[in-house]
C-alpha cells in the first residue's frame, strides 16, 4: 500500500468516530443538568438555569429532537420530563416561556399513541384467552385476510398431541404456516383436504375466522354445536361419547377450561396420521416420578410418565424440555411461568398453574407409593 493511501485511510478511520461523536456530544450544561435532575438537586438546577440563559432554548430544542428520535414510550417520556423541567425553570427564572405548550402537546401525543398500542394488544388478547388457542395474524393481515384462530381444543377431541407434534408441527409458535404448504397437502393441509377435515380450498372463513360469527364457538367451547362434534368424531371413528360424562356435555374444570382428564375416558383420539412412521407414537413409559417439595407445607408433585407418554412422544420432552435422567432437571414455579419445564405445555395448552393441587397432589408426609424419587 502506498504511504499516501495509507494516511488517507487512517484519516478517514479517525475522522469517522470523531465527527459522529461531535454531532451527539452533550454540552457541559446538559450533562450537569441531567445529573442534578437524576439526583433531585433542585438547588443546582436553579443555579444552572440562572447562569445559562442564552443557550437554554437551543438545549430544549435538542431535547425535543432527542425525544422524537428515541425508541419506546418510557424513554421518550423520560426525555420529555427533563425538557419540561428545564422549560418550566427557564420560564420562572427568565420570564420567557416558549416551550411548555409544545412539550405538553408532545407528551399528550405520546400518551395517546401508547394507549392505542395497549388497546390494540388488549383487543387481540381474547383470542388466546382459552388455553391452546393460537392467533395467527401477521401473514394473514399482510395479505388482507382475516387472522386465523387455531383452536387446540377442537383438534384434541379427535387427535392426541403426538398426531401433530413434533411433525408436522413444532411444539411452539413459529408464525411460519402459509397457504402454499397447506394447499400442497402439508401442515394444516394434511387434514384440511376435504377427507379428514373440511377442505382448505373450499372454506377460507372457517380458519380465517377473526371477526366472523364463526369465531364465537372457537373462543368458547360452550357455544359449540355438540351434534357437529359428534358427526366429526363418527366420521373419524374416535367414538366421542358424552353420555358417559356427568351432564352429558364437554366437562369443565373449576377454572372454566375443558377438563381433558375427564374427557379422556369418553373418546379414543387418533395417535398418528396416515403415512407417519409407526412405532414412535406407540412407545410409552410406565412409571411415576416424585418431585419433592422444598417446603413442608407444599405438597409433593407426582409426574406420570405413563399418561404423558400416551399423549406426547418422548422426543417432544426429551431433551428439549427435560434431560431423560432422574433428578437432572431443576424445576421451579418461576421457570414454569416463563414457559420452561412443565410450563412448556401447562398454562399454554394443558391445564393452568392455578390448579395447584392437580400437580401438588401428594402430602409431604405420605409415602412415595412406588413413584421414583429424584434424590
Ligand atoms: C385450515 C385452515 C385454513 C384455511 C381453510 C385457509 N387458510 Fe389461509 N392461512 C391459514 C394459516 C394458518 C395462515 C397463516 C396466518 C398467519 O400466520 O398470519 C394462512 C395465511 C393465508 C394468507 C397469507 C399468505 C400466506 O400464505 O401465508 C392468505 C393470502 C390466505 N391464507 C388465503 C386463504 C384463502 C383465499 C383461503 C380459502 C381459499 C384460505 N386461506 C383458507 C390457514 C387456512
Ligand atoms: C391438529 C394438530 C395439533 C394437535 C393435535 C396438537 N397441537 Fe399443539 N400445536 C399445533 C399447531 C399448529 C401449533 C402452532 C405451530 C406453529 O406456530 O408453527 C401448536 C403449538 C403448540 C404449542 C406452543 C404453544 C405456545 O403458546 O407457545 C404447544 C405447547 C403445543 N402445541 C402442545 C400441544 C399438546 C400438549 C398437545 C396435546 C394435548 C397438542 N399440542 C396437540 C397443532 C396441534
Ligand atoms: C390432524 C388433522 C388436522 C390438522 C393437522 C389440522 N386440523 Fe383443523 N380440524 C381437523 C378436524 C377433524 C376438524 C373438525 C372439523 C371437520 O370435521 O371438518 C378441524 C377443525 C378446525 C377448525 C374449527 C372450524 C370450526 O368451524 O369449528 C379450525 C379453525 C381449524 N381446524 C384450523 C386448523 C388450522 C389453522 C390448522 C393448521 C395450523 C389445522 N386446523 C390443522 C383436523 C386437523
Ligand atoms: C411430558 C414430558 C415427558 C415425556 C413425553 C417423556 N418424559 Fe421422560 N421424563 C420426563 C421428566 C419430567 C423426567 C424426570 C426428570 C428429572 O427427574 O429431572 C423424565 C425422566 C426420564 C428418564 C429417567 C427416569 C426414568 O424414568 O427412568 C428416562 C429414562 C425417560 N424420562 C425416558 C422417557 C421415554 C423413553 C419417553 C417416551 C416413552 C419419555 N421419557 C417421555 C418427562 C417426559
Ligand atoms: C403443572 C404442574 C404444577 C402446577 C399446576 C403447580 N405446580 Fe408448583 N411445582 C411444580 C413442580 C414440578 C415443582 C418443583 C418441585 C420441586 O421443587 O421438587 C413445583 C414447585 C413449587 C414450589 C416450590 C418453590 C418454587 O417456587 O418452585 C411451590 C411453593 C409451588 N410449586 C407452589 C405452587 C402453587 C401455589 C401452585 C398453584 C398456584 C402450583 N405450585 C401449581 C409443578 C406444578
Ligand atoms: C409436552 C407437554 C407437557 C409437559 C412438558 C408436561 N405436561 Fe403435564 N400434561 C400435559 C397434558 C396434555 C395433560 C392432559 C391434561 C390437560 O391437557 O389439561 C397433562 C396432564 C398432567 C397432569 C394430570 C394427571 C395426568 O397425569 O394425566 C399432571 C398432574 C401433570 N400433567 C403434571 C405435569 C408436571 C408436574 C410436569 C412437569 C414435570 C408436566 N406435567 C409437564 C402435557 C404436558
Amino acid at each position: 500500500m502506498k504511504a499516501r493511501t495509507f494516511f488517507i485511510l487512517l484519516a478517514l478511520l479517525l475522522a469517522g468516530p470523531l465527527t459522529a461523536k461531535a454531532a451527539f456530544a452533550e454540552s457541559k450544561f446538559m450533562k450537569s443538568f441531567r445529573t442534578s435532575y437524576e439526583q433531585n438537586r433542585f438547588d443546582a438546577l436553579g443555579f444552572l438555569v440562572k447562569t445559562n440563559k442564552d443557550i437554554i432554548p437551543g438545549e430544549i430544542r435538542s431535547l425535543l429532537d432527542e425525544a422524537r428520535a428515541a425508541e419506546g414510550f418510557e424513554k421518550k417520556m423520560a426525555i420529555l420530563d427533563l425538557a419540561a423541567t428545564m422549560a418550566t425553570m427557564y420560564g420562572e427564572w427568565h420570564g420567557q416561556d416558549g416551550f411548555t405548550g409544545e412539550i405538553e402537546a408532545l407528551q399528550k401525543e405520546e400518551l395517546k399513541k401508547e394507549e392505542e398500542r395497549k388497546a390494540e394488544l388488549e383487543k387481540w388478547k381474547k383470542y388466546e384467552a382459552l388455553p391452546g388457542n393460537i392467533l395467527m395474524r401477521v401473514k394473514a393481515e399482510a395479505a388482507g385476510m382475516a387472522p386465523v384462530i387455531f383452536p387446540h381444543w377442537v383438534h384434541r377431541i379427535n387427535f392426541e398431541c403426538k398426531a401433530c407434534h413434533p411433525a408436522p408441527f413444532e411444539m411452539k409458535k413459529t408464525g411460519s404456516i402459509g397457504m402454499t404448504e397447506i394447499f400442497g397437502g402439508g401442515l394444516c393441509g394434511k387434514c384440511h383436504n376435504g377427507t379428514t377435515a373440511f377442505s382448505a380450498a373450499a372454506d377460507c372463513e372457517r380458519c380465517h375466522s377473526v371477526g366472523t360469527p364463526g369465531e364465537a364457538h372457537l373462543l368458547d367451547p360452550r357455544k359449540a354445536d355438540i351434534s357437529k362434534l359428534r358427526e366429526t368424531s363418527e366420521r373419524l371413528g374416535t367414538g366421542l361419547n358424552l353420555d358417559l360424562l356427568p351432564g352429558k356435555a364437554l366437562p369443565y374444570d373449576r377454572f372454566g377450561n375443558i377438563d381433558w382428564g375427564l374427557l379422556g375416558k369418553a373418546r379414543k383420539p387418533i395417535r398418528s396420521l396416515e403415512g407417519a412412521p409407526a412405532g414412535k407414537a406407540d412407545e410409552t413409559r410406565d412409571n411415576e416420578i416424585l418431585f419433592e417439595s422444598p417446603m413442608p407445607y407444599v405438597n409433593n408433585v407426582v409426574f406420570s410418565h405413563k399418561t404423558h407418554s400416551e399423549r406426547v412422544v418422548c422426543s417432544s420432552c426429551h431433551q428439549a424440555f427435560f434431560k431423560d435422567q432422574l433428578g437432572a432437571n431443576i424445576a421451579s414455579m418461576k421457570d414454569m411461568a416463563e414457559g420452561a419445564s412443565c410450563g412448556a405445555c401447562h398454562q399454554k395448552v394443558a391445564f393452568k398453574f392455578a390448579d395447584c393441587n392437580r400437580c401438588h397432589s401428594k402430602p409431604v408426609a405420605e409415602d412415595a407409593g412406588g413413584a421414583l424419587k429424584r434424590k
Side-chain angles (χ1 to χ4, degrees):
M1 194 190 289
K2 276 191 195 156
R4 218 172 86 104
T5 339
F6 174 78
F7 281 115
I8 291 173
L9 278 176
L10 187 69
L12 282 173
L13 269 175
L14 288 175
L18 281 180
T19 41
K21 205 171 172 195
F24 293 102
E26 225 176 25
S27 71
K28 220 176 121 196
F29 163 78
M30 184 69 89
K31 208 170 182 178
S32 315
F33 193 89
R34 243 186 245 272
T35 316
S36 305
Y37 176 76
E38 277 156 14
Q39 298 170 349
N40 284 319
R41 290 187 44 209
F42 286 92
D43 53 337
L45 289 178
F47 178 76
L48 281 167
V49 170
K50 201 169 126 192
T51 53
N52 285 283
K53 179 174 182 217
D54 293 344
I55 64 164
I56 289 178
E59 297 290 343
I60 297 178
R61 281 259 156 263
S62 79
L63 276 178
L64 293 183
D65 289 343
E66 194 188 324
R68 286 195 188 93
E71 298 259 341
F73 176 70
E74 307 287 335
K75 262 201 192 139
K76 282 177 188 284
M77 290 310 266
I79 300 165
L80 288 175
D81 278 350
L82 188 70
T85 309
M86 198 183 286
T88 312
M89 294 184 79
Y90 178 72
E92 275 169 15
W93 278 101
H94 305 296
Q96 286 166 299
D97 174 17
F99 291 101
T100 43
E102 187 179 342
I103 297 172
E104 263 171 37
L106 255 177
Q107 284 171 323
K108 272 197 190 132
E109 193 184 308
E110 289 307 327
L111 266 174
K112 192 164 160 244
K113 273 196 230 156
E114 177 67 3
E115 273 161 19
E116 280 165 5
R117 195 186 64 84
K118 281 194 180 145
E120 174 81 3
L121 282 182
E122 216 41 54
K123 180 179 124 193
W124 295 113
K125 255 193 196 158
K126 69 169 180 185
Y127 291 103
E128 298 198 332
L130 190 76
N133 273 6
I134 298 181
L135 182 68
M136 302 173 173
R137 80 178 172 101
V138 176
K139 294 173 74 184
E141 279 193 325
M145 294 290 293
V148 173
I149 303 165
F150 173 77
H152 263 97
W153 74 266
V154 173
H155 296 88
R156 287 188 63 182
I157 293 179
N158 296 298
F159 301 96
E160 208 55 278
C161 321
K162 42 176 83 169
C164 286
H165 297 298
F169 302 106
E170 285 183 69
M171 208 176 252
K172 65 175 186 204
K173 291 184 192 168
T174 66
S176 67
I177 296 170
M179 295 314 294
T180 315
E181 295 88 338
I182 296 177
F183 287 143
L187 303 177
C188 321
K190 277 210 180 320
C191 300
H192 286 280
N193 49 19
T195 312
T196 309
F198 66 86
S199 152
D203 222 339
C204 317
E205 268 202 6
R206 280 184 82 179
C207 283
H208 292 275
S209 65
V210 165
T212 73
E215 72 170 37
H217 74 279
L218 301 181
L219 306 187
D220 180 2
R222 286 169 216 264
K223 297 188 177 137
D225 181 342
I226 297 286
S227 66
K228 286 219 176 108
L229 298 181
R230 280 212 179 92
E231 260 171 49
T232 299
S233 169
E234 225 160 84
R235 179 162 41 80
L236 298 172
T238 53
L240 178 68
N241 185 356
L242 296 178
D243 296 342
L244 295 177
L245 297 171
K248 301 188 195 299
L250 289 175
Y252 292 85
D253 64 20
R254 61 203 171 89
F255 303 97
N257 300 308
I258 294 179
D259 188 331
W260 294 99
L262 278 177
L263 191 65
K265 301 171 193 94
R267 93 256 192 252
K268 269 192 85 63
I270 295 166
R271 288 182 174 178
S272 67
L273 297 182
E274 236 170 279
K280 279 198 174 151
D282 295 329
E283 191 184 351
T284 55
R285 191 165 187 84
D286 194 358
N287 65 20
E288 285 182 342
I289 294 172
L290 189 74
F291 284 77
E292 281 177 288
S293 160
M295 297 141 184
Y297 51 89
V298 178
N299 287 348
N300 288 337
V301 172
V302 181
F303 171 81
S304 164
H305 241 145
K306 183 165 190 292
T307 56
H308 281 84
S309 60
E310 277 166 358
R311 298 180 179 113
V312 179
V313 293
C314 320
S315 69
S316 284
C317 282
H318 299 305
Q319 314 290 335
F321 307 147
F322 303 99
K323 292 182 203 125
D324 57 353
Q325 209 186 330
L326 209 57
N329 304 274
I330 298 163
S332 75
M333 294 310 297
K334 188 171 164 288
D335 297 340
M336 283 181 225
E338 285 163 6
S341 183
C342 316
C345 297
H346 288 278
Q347 190 83 357
K348 290 183 185 167
V349 176
F351 65 79
K352 295 201 168 193
F353 299 140
D355 216 346
C356 315
N357 289 342
R358 235 160 123 186
C359 284
H360 291 276
S361 58
K362 210 176 233 335
V364 170
E366 230 172 68
D367 184 76
L372 297 176
K373 282 197 172 190
R374 298 172 71 244
K375 281 182 252 166

